[in-house]
Amino acid sequence: EIKMTEKFEFRKIRPEEYELIEKMQQDEGFNKYFVPDNKMDLVLLNGNIIGVFYLSGSYTPELQIGILPEYRNKGYAVKLTEQIVGELFSEGISQVNLKIHKDNKASLNLAKKCGFHIDWENEELNPENKEDMYYTLYKRNYMVYGNKNRGR
């Protein structure tokens, strides 16, 4: 179990660690919902690699995280998400987005625990494509976004 005072460290994946990405791609939890690549940063806790994360976009970044199987169900994903979002908000980012496949119940539960809200779902746009139905979720930094916009 993670202590609330512990912080994750981040660093770029080194070429000799690309085999870790291949291992992740073979894991069903990653393979179905998440495509790790060498643009991601590693997540370390006490010097141990516990997962990866990736931010795309700059004005409104979209966050993806992945925790290695042996570190799941220990609270790391929630703590990691809160730390990354907190750092982005402290840098003045006004909103962070997540894109989560509708069948990925673990990630949907994580998003809700971390205060994200469903913005929209693509099923309305493309109801025939049942394989690629996802939610877009957001979390706003009301210190930047403004209290007058709270609750949309």
Side-chain angles (χ1 to χ4, degrees), residues 14 21 26 30-31 42-43 52 65 80 86 90 115 121 125 131 139 141 143 148:
R14 299 175 184 140
I21 295 170
Q26 293 169 6
F30 278 98
N31 197 16
L42 291 177
V43 178
V52 294
I65 66 164
L80 174 61
S90 72
E121 54 185 292
L125 299 176
E131 292 297 311
K139 183 171 184 175
N141 178 356
M143 297 299 288
K148 67 180 190 296

Side-chain angles (χ1 to χ4, degrees), residues 5-60:
T5 56
E6 293 181 292
K7 289 197 103 180
F8 297 99
E9 297 174 17
F10 311 112
R11 71 167 168 78
K12 291 289 179 200
I13 295 175
R14 299 175 184 140
E16 64 269 18
E17 295 167 328
Y18 290 167
E19 65 192 42
L20 177 66
I21 295 170
E22 291 170 10
K23 177 184 170 191
M24 287 180 193
Q25 288 172 324
Q26 293 169 6
D27 177 72
E28 186 176 313
F30 278 98
N31 197 16
K32 188 170 182 181
Y33 304 115
F34 191 84
V35 182
D37 66 27
N38 60 7
K39 296 179 188 146
M40 297 183 169
D41 284 352
L42 291 177
V43 178
L44 295 95
L45 183 64
N46 301 322
N48 297 314
I49 297 170
I50 67 157
V52 294
F53 87 96
Y54 179 71
L55 284 171
S56 58
S58 56
Y59 180 72
T60 305

Side-chain angles (χ1 to χ4, degrees), residues 95-98 108 111-120 135-140 142 150-152:
Q95 180 173 307
V96 176
N97 292 339
L98 303 175
L108 287 169
K112 290 176 183 176
K113 282 182 191 175
C114 292
F116 281 81
H117 305 281
I118 294 175
D119 190 20
W120 64 277
Y135 294 111
T136 299
L137 297 93
Y138 69 91
K139 183 171 184 175
R140 291 199 173 125
Y142 288 102
R150 202 178 271 273
R152 300 186 113 183

